[in-house]
Each structure stands twice: as structure tokens, then as C-alpha cells.
Amino acid sequence: MNLNTRQQQAVEATEGRVRVIAGAGSGKTRVLAHRYAFLANEVGISPGNILCLTFTNKAAQEMKRRISTMVDRGSVNDFICTIHSFCAKFLRKEIYRIGYPRNFTIIDEEDGKALARQAMQEFGIDRRKTTAERFLKSVAAYKGYEPMQYIQKHLLPCSSSEAPDATVRYLRLQLKQFALDYDDLLYFTLYILQHFDDARKYWTEKINYVMVDEVQDCTGDDWKLLHAITENHGNLFVVGDPDQAIYEWRGANPKIFVDFKAHTDIILNENYRSTPDILEVANHIIEHNHNRVKKELFTVKLNERQVVHLHAKSDKEEAAFIASRIDDAVKEGMGYGDFAILYRSSFLSRQIEQSLLKLHIPYSVWGGVRFFERKEIKDVLSYLRIVATDNDDLSFRRIINLPARKFGDASLKALSAIAEEDDTSLMTALRNHIDDKRFSKPTLRNFLKLIDDARARVGIMPVSELTDWILKESGLGDLYRTDEEEERLENLTELINSMKEFEEGRIDEGDADLTSYLQEIALYTNADRSNDSERVRMMTIHQSKGLEFPEVFVIGLTEGIFPNHRAIRERRQDGEEEERRLMYVAVTRAERMLWLCESEGYMNENGALKFPSRFLSEVPEGMLRVEGKLDPVLKAGTAGLVSMLNQELCEGGEKPWDNGTRVSHKIFGEGVIEGYDASAKSYKVRFNASTRNLLPHVLTRL
């Protein structure tokens, strides 16, 4: 089977609870596929009695492909799937027990938002203050608080009607359609297993062996399901790496895997992906975490190049260097597809994208959208285009009801007919017919005034200041803040930064005007795109998990950005350790060459001086080759910033919020601070229906 000794040991460990700690690049997928084949071919277990669970549908398809080449008999496809897919299969057989039809509906995120909006509308909840997305988070928190109870109380056909609020109404709307969301799939499966002995007996006897990939990403409820379906035989084989647990923020609980009591423990630490230097860097960084199973990755591969710490004088210089390095390497024989650029936050991609485009380097943004094509960016640019000219109908259509101005499809259709008849643009038609009763609304008059006021500022205000003014006066900025879309706000800040760079670069030419800026941006957005599949890959580090590339650039390694200080302040040590695990994932994506990149300058969000990430200082001196002149003052600044943050987070170090401060809680919703108990270090918080004493780490300031 061409397996190493530990891999072979894992494959042949068929009975009982087996835990495999599989380091990055150690061949865990290979082990899972071979173990499945060993159970089927050598032990004689029918594939219909083996459940193999993966974290993603893509991983499930890859697992099926590998296994199908090794297993001859039976169907290998039935139970090689994600946890949610297994639950859906389970429920299609068993959900009749609680009064649901077997053809129940599974609602996706957009369907859920539609139900949320309906419930919110019925209860008069202002969507400008609470979005559907935020409402769904509160519903999810309600469900997760007591999973079995919400089913009993609200989602059984015979459940008693409770005095409705918006959350209860949402659940009743679900029931009316016999609809389940992704959380429900798991909770309903657990409910039936707990309440129906014959169903539990059937499934625990049918499934003789359970294998789970990426188990560090399982939630506590996922683990409950695993234990429930293996309670008779205990044949649970779990594979994962606590050092690559990067989804605690969405409910994963890697501590369960760390504390898992197994009959057999196996560590796979031989790496087949990266060079020794890359692995040594990864090992030194991750050893600073405490909540882990200690291991050190090693490889028999030879070093090709030293890991490089790229220090640039600005993020623009950082981006230009990366683009130039890729361009030179391709000329020497490498392919564009050999390179990946990884970042903690999506707003960091803008500067890199512009540098790649200048050198005509083809690239793709994985799992995302190019910077200047992101919704919020196009929204703002559409406003600017309307300020520049009345003749842009596409931009008019995009923004006329953004934010909402009670100008729906019927109004737009009527205005379009007038514009067609008058042979004019939509904007001109609106100006000419603003007294028409169909359009004579204060919101539309205010829109025209906004555009005219903006035009009066063209040539007086720089483009960046004009954009900031439009964001405030139009309500667009408030809309994105209300949506709690932090990434969108970061992107808008980055857009204004791009405008400032444009202005600085055109000082001598004297043409840093609005029209010139829009024309330059059009060159970026309409850049010639190669049809060649060979492109530089750009993605967040979360999206890179499970992938590998010959040469990797990790950008934006600035203290506060990566690690993200917000994550640390909210989750303290757990937050810091997850940020470090994310760094570990980024480093271990590289096969032959790794660049760790940061730059001087100032932070986008608060204007603070930028210091290199603490992760760089966790690598011993001399292990990284430094490209660029790094001032020792900056390295000292990192230590000082980390120390200051630690002091802020230490026991008793929090500064109490003032009375009247608005906060939110994932269960109780929005509330107001009414007092602080210094001895208990807790806040007295008044919610709509109650007052509670709560520790600060469970509260989020609004």
C-alpha cells in the first residue's frame, strides 16, 4: 500500500476508539481511504456499514474517488459524506416519526433570510436597526442554547403555541413549510435518536464503523452525534490536527479532540509537502500554543530556499515586490499557478491586485470577488459615476434605491418608459418629471439634492474626501454599519486609501480629478483577463486550508491585522491561539518557498503606526532571511504593543464600561449597562424582559 509505519498502523487499527493526530501534509486523506479499503477488502465489512464523514462536500467527492479505485464490491457512495448530508439521509428515513413528511424542505441561507424578513416585518422590527442576518444569528443562538427544547416547544406539529415574538414566529413559519435549516438537520437527528429507541437501535446496528476527517472542526453537537451512533460498538476513528483548528469562531470545539480518550493514539508527523526550513518555522510558531497535542513535523525532503521575511517601506512597495518576484520567476520557467497569495482579511487584496494588473499577471480570487467588483465598492463607484454624469443608466439603476427610497420595480418601469419616450437618461427623466405624482417623493428629491450638492464639491474636495462625504450623506455608510459587515467597512476604508494614493500620484500632473479617477478604475475593472487556467491564486487563509502551492506569500503580517486584535480582545487566550493556528495553516501551505510579508506605515482603521506581527518574532533569529531594512525600533514596538495588549486583557485590567453603554448578548439580545460589580468583575445589564449580571467576555459593545 506504500504507507509509512505509522500510516499502516492507523489503517490496521480497526477496533475501538482510535485518535489520529495528522499533521499538515502527513497524508491523512490517504490513510482514511486505505483504512476504508482495508475494512472492506481485508476485514470483510460491507461498505453499507461504514460511515465516513468529511468536513466539506468537495472532500467527500475526493474521498469517494480514491476509495472507488480500491473497493470492488458494494456501494462506496452511500455514507461517504458530510455530517449534514448524513443527517439529511437519516431524516428522509426517520423524520415521519415526529410528524414531518419525508420530502421535507431544507432551506439555505437566502431562504432563511426571507423567512426572517417576514417575521421581522410582522413584529415591526426596523430592518435598518436589525438585519435579517443578525436576526438569524439570534435564532441560531436560541436553538443552540437548548437544542432539544426548541424542537419540542416550537417545531413539532403538535407543539403548543407560545406567546409569539419574532423568533417564535420565525420557527412557526418554518413548521408551516416543514422546513429545516442546516442546524435543524443535526438537532432533529439527535432528537430522534434520543427519543425513539427502535430508530437508535436500527442505526447503531447498521453502522459498524465510523471514520471522521478534520474532526478538530466538529462542534460539541457534532460530537454528540458521533457518540450516539457508536454507542453500541465504540468503533470511532477520528482524524485531525488541533494545530489547524481555525473555526472556533463558528462553533468548532477542538478541545474535545485534544481531550479525547482513545484506545489507540497515533501521531502522523512526517510531512510530504514542505521543505525542512518551512516546517521548522511552522513548528516554532505553533509551539507557543498551549491547547494542543505536542508534535513536531519533519520531512526527508531537502531544502530549496530559505524562508524569507519581506519587510517593505509601504504596502504599495510590498505589493510591487510580490508582483515583480512572480513576474521574474515565470520568466525563469515557473507557472502562474505555482503561486498563492494568502491574507487574513480580504481588504488586503486590493493593493496586490493592482500591482499584478500593472504587470499583466493573470490571477483569480478564490471564493471571493475581485476588489473593484465587490458589491460595496461598485455601489460607491456608481454614486461617483452619477455625480460625474447624468447619462449612466446602469449606475442609476444600481443606486436609486440604495439605501431604500421607496422606489420599487413599478416606479423604475414607469420612469424607464418616460426616458425611452423622451430619448433621455433615467437621471435626466427623473429631474424633468420630479413633479409627476409617481416620483414626487421627499426621498427622491433628497436624492437629486444629494447628487447636486456632491457635484458642487467636485474640484473643491479631493476624490477621497468627496467619497467620504457621499458615504455619510447618502446613508450608505450607515447601511453597511447596520449590516454588521465588518469586511465591507474594511473594503470601503481600503477604497478611500486607493483614492488617496491616486491623488498623491497625480499631484505633479494636476489631474487628480473625479473623471480621471473613474477612468483609471475602469482600466482595472475591465482589465484583459486571461482564459488560461494558470493564474496566481489569491485567497484568505481560511479558504487555503487543505491546499498546497510551490510558492506562497503570506501578506499583511502586521500586529493588529494578523493576529487580529479584535479576535484577541473578544476571546482572549482562545482568540490568540486560534490566530496562531491560522498562521500555522498559512505557513504549511508552502511546498518549496515561503514569503512572510509586512510593511511600514499606518493602520487603515485607526491610523496607528504599523509594527511587524508577533508571529515573526516567534521564529528564532537567523532562521528567516530578511529582505528589506527592518528598523530594530519596529521590532521593539511589536513587543511593546503585545505587552500593552496583554496588560489590557489581564485579570482586573478591563476598564468598566460606563452606565448606559449599549451591549449585545448572543442569547438575550441587546441591552444596556446599569452597573458594574468590581468584586465579581461582572456587569449588571438590563434587557427588554430581564436584568442579568454577566461577565464581560460574553458581551459585545454596540
Side-chain angles (χ1 to χ4, degrees):
M1 287 191 282
N2 297 320
L3 302 171
N4 67 37
T5 302
R6 291 188 177 183
Q7 289 174 333
Q8 189 71 44
Q9 183 187 356
V11 166
E12 296 179 1
T14 61
E15 305 305 306
R17 293 154 62 96
V18 182
R19 180 176 71 168
V20 179
I21 307 294
S26 63
K28 65 177 178 61
T29 305
R30 182 178 177 81
V31 166
L32 283 161
H34 276 83
R35 186 177 189 269
Y36 190 107
F38 185 82
L39 286 170
N41 297 337
E42 303 298 327
V43 182
I45 306 299
S46 168
N49 300 124
I50 305 171
L51 176 62
C52 182
L53 296 173
T54 63
F55 192 61
T56 65
N57 289 312
K58 182 179 178 182
Q61 292 302 316
E62 173 61 17
M63 191 70 69
K64 289 175 185 177
R65 186 190 67 77
R66 293 196 187 200
I67 291 172
S68 64
T69 65
M70 294 183 282
V71 176
D72 300 325
R73 59 194 164 77
S75 170
V76 300
N77 296 329
D78 285 350
F79 294 125
I80 304 174
C81 55
T82 66
I83 286 182
H84 287 100
S85 294
F86 168 73
C87 290
K89 296 179 197 297
F90 175 96
L91 292 172
R92 288 200 172 91
K93 179 175 175 61
E94 305 292 350
I95 201 167
Y96 76 92
R97 298 174 183 274
I98 56 175
Y100 277 63
R102 286 194 167 102
N103 62 342
F104 61 91
T105 301
I106 300 174
I107 56 176
D108 60 18
E109 185 177 354
E110 288 306 310
D111 295 332
K113 287 180 180 179
L115 285 184
R117 293 186 191 103
Q118 185 178 343
M120 292 164 64
Q121 184 178 14
E122 290 183 18
F123 280 82
I125 296 175
D126 191 342
R127 285 172 53 187
R128 293 171 296 183
K129 296 180 179 178
T130 302
T131 64
E133 185 176 8
R134 187 172 176 182
F135 178 82
L136 286 176
K137 286 180 181 177
S138 70
V139 172
Y142 179 79
K143 290 180 176 181
Y145 191 61
E146 292 180 319
M148 300 302 99
Q149 288 197 20
Y150 91 88
I151 296 174
Q152 193 77 45
K153 287 172 63 176
H154 304 299
L155 289 188
L156 295 185
C158 59
S159 58
S160 60
S161 233
E162 186 176 294
D165 57 19
T167 299
V168 173
R169 178 57 181 159
Y170 175 88
L171 295 171
R172 303 303 288 185
L173 288 170
Q174 267 196 244
L175 175 58
K176 185 178 179 182
Q177 305 175 51
F178 293 116
L180 276 63
D181 62 23
Y182 287 168
D183 290 337
D184 296 327
L185 293 173
L186 178 61
Y187 295 149
F188 272 55
T189 299
L190 284 170
Y191 184 90
I192 290 172
L193 286 171
Q194 290 181 12
H195 289 81
F196 296 90
D197 293 342
D198 54 339
R200 183 171 64 254
K201 182 175 184 296
Y202 171 83
W203 285 95
T204 54
E205 289 179 355
K206 177 176 179 58
I207 297 173
N208 305 139
Y209 293 87
V210 177
M211 302 191 301
V212 190
D213 190 15
E214 302 283 12
V215 76
Q216 77 279 349
D217 296 324
C218 285
T219 67
D221 291 311
D222 292 335
W223 280 98
K224 288 178 184 177
L225 177 64
L226 298 179
H227 290 307
I229 58 181
T230 59
E231 66 175 11
N232 282 356
H233 48 74
N235 294 327
L236 178 58
F237 181 91
V238 293
V239 183
D241 184 4
D243 290 339
Q244 297 186 72
I246 57 176
Y247 292 110
E248 278 194 85
W249 55 275
R250 68 183 192 192
N253 191 346
K255 294 184 180 70
I256 300 176
F257 183 41
V258 171
D259 298 334
F260 184 77
K261 304 300 182 187
H263 302 112
T264 305
D265 260 324
I266 301 166
I267 294 180
L268 305 180
N269 60 344
E270 182 174 356
N271 178 283
Y272 295 91
R273 176 185 300 157
S274 307
T275 64
D277 278 356
I278 292 171
L279 295 182
E280 197 170 359
V281 168
N283 287 333
H284 278 291
I285 291 172
I286 201 62
E287 70 182 9
H288 287 77
N289 274 4
H290 302 287
N291 184 40
R292 61 188 295 259
V293 178
K294 189 174 180 179
K295 68 177 185 309
E296 284 200 4
L297 298 179
F298 74 94
T299 184
V300 297
K301 294 175 70 173
L302 299 176
N303 275 322
E304 296 190 23
R305 299 175 183 137
Q306 194 176 19
V307 179
V308 181
H309 169 189
L310 171 63
H311 174 77
K313 292 298 180 181
S314 67
D315 55 357
K316 189 174 183 179
E317 182 182 292
E318 176 188 351
F321 182 96
I322 293 169
S324 179
R325 160 62 196 166
I326 294 171
D327 192 48
D328 290 344
V330 170
K331 290 174 181 175
E332 293 170 3
M334 292 185 70
Y336 292 116
D338 292 335
F339 298 91
I341 301 170
L342 310 182
Y343 35 83
R344 173 65 174 82
S345 300
S346 294
F347 77 88
L348 294 168
S349 76
R350 192 270 304 175
Q351 195 68 255
I352 302 288
E353 288 186 58
Q354 289 185 264
S355 292
L356 294 175
L357 287 166
K358 284 178 181 177
L359 294 183
H360 307 289
I361 295 173
Y363 71 92
S364 61
V365 179
W366 276 38
V369 182
R370 291 174 177 234
F371 183 83
F372 287 105
E373 294 172 3
R374 292 168 190 169
K375 178 185 182 306
E376 60 277 10
I377 303 301
K378 293 187 72 170
D379 291 343
V380 175
L381 293 177
S382 292
Y383 265 99
L384 291 175
R385 290 187 179 110
I386 286 294
V387 171
T389 177
D390 274 357
N391 298 323
D392 193 330
D393 282 357
L394 286 176
S395 294
F396 181 91
R397 289 176 180 275
R398 185 176 188 94
I399 66 167
I400 185 58
N401 209 35
L402 187 73
R405 298 188 177 92
K406 298 181 180 179
F407 191 86
D409 291 342
S411 298
L412 183 58
K413 186 177 179 180
L415 185 64
S416 298
I418 292 172
E420 184 74 23
E421 185 178 338
D422 293 353
D423 192 23
T424 188
S425 69
L426 292 170
M427 185 69 172
T428 302
L430 180 63
R431 289 186 184 279
N432 294 340
H433 297 271
I434 191 64
D435 293 327
D436 187 314
K437 64 180 181 180
R438 292 171 294 180
F439 314 124
S440 185
K441 300 173 181 177
T443 53
L444 296 181
R445 292 183 182 276
N446 289 339
F447 172 73
L448 293 179
K449 185 176 184 304
L450 170 76
I451 300 302
D452 289 340
D453 287 350
R455 286 178 179 176
R457 288 164 168 78
V458 172
I460 300 172
M461 283 184 171
V463 179
S464 56
E465 291 182 16
L466 176 64
T467 302
D468 194 50
W469 183 87
I470 289 173
L471 282 168
K472 292 175 182 173
E473 296 301 317
S474 68
L476 204 57
D478 288 339
L479 177 68
Y480 291 132
R481 274 185 284 274
T482 302
D483 281 347
E484 295 191 328
E485 295 268 0
E486 193 67 36
E487 188 174 304
R488 286 184 174 175
L489 295 175
E490 289 175 339
N491 287 339
L492 290 175
T493 300
E494 189 61 22
L495 175 66
I496 290 176
N497 285 341
S498 82
M499 294 170 174
K500 290 177 179 177
E501 288 177 8
F502 165 80
E503 291 157 3
E504 291 167 3
R506 297 291 187 105
I507 290 175
D508 295 336
E509 289 83 354
D511 61 346
D513 56 89
L514 177 61
T515 300
S516 298
Y517 177 76
L518 291 173
Q519 289 172 350
E520 179 161 309
I521 294 304
L523 295 176
Y524 288 128
T525 56
N526 295 320
D528 190 25
R529 299 185 183 183
S530 172
N531 292 321
D532 189 353
S533 60
E534 276 279 300
R535 301 183 183 195
V536 174
R537 270 71 64 88
M538 300 183 61
M539 66 190 74
T540 66
I541 300 167
H542 284 94
Q543 292 160 343
S544 76
K545 186 150 177 240
L547 303 176
E548 56 192 47
F549 310 92
E551 189 160 332
V552 170
F553 300 87
V554 184
I555 68 170
L557 279 167
T558 297
E559 191 64 28
I561 296 176
F562 192 20
N564 184 288
H565 281 184
R566 191 185 312 111
I568 296 175
R569 286 191 172 98
E570 290 177 356
R571 300 182 52 235
R572 301 178 176 246
Q573 183 180 330
D574 287 345
E576 181 184 359
E577 293 208 357
E578 183 158 7
E579 289 293 297
R580 188 173 285 108
R581 291 194 295 268
L582 195 59
M583 179 66 178
Y584 179 81
V585 168
V587 169
T588 54
R589 297 313 93 194
E591 296 174 345
R592 303 199 304 263
M593 182 69 185
L594 173 65
W595 300 80
L596 305 177
C597 312
E598 52 84 22
S599 61
E600 297 178 24
Y602 297 91
M603 302 277 280
N604 291 340
E605 67 260 23
N606 56 20
L609 192 65
K610 292 166 69 175
F611 297 103
S613 169
R614 70 186 70 183
F615 299 147
L616 293 165
S617 60
E618 291 173 354
V619 181
E621 194 83 29
M623 190 172 289
L624 302 177
R625 176 170 68 81
V626 180
E627 183 80 35
K629 189 175 181 180
L630 178 59
D631 191 329
V633 172
L634 291 177
K635 294 180 70 174
T638 298
L641 191 59
V642 172
S643 175
M644 192 166 62
L645 181 62
N646 289 341
Q647 180 64 33
E648 178 187 330
L649 298 176
C650 72
E651 187 81 22
E654 304 105 339
K655 296 179 181 178
W657 290 324
D658 295 333
N659 290 351
T661 300
R662 292 175 62 247
V663 295
S664 71
H665 186 273
K666 67 178 183 179
I667 302 298
F668 306 120
E670 293 187 10
V672 177
I673 300 290
E674 290 192 333
Y676 180 73
D677 185 337
S679 61
K681 298 183 177 60
S682 65
Y683 289 98
K684 182 181 180 181
V685 186
R686 174 173 51 80
F687 299 96
N688 285 335
S690 61
T691 300
R692 300 179 182 270
N693 295 314
L694 297 168
L695 294 171
H697 73 274
V698 301
L699 299 170
T700 301
R701 183 170 184 169
L702 298 177

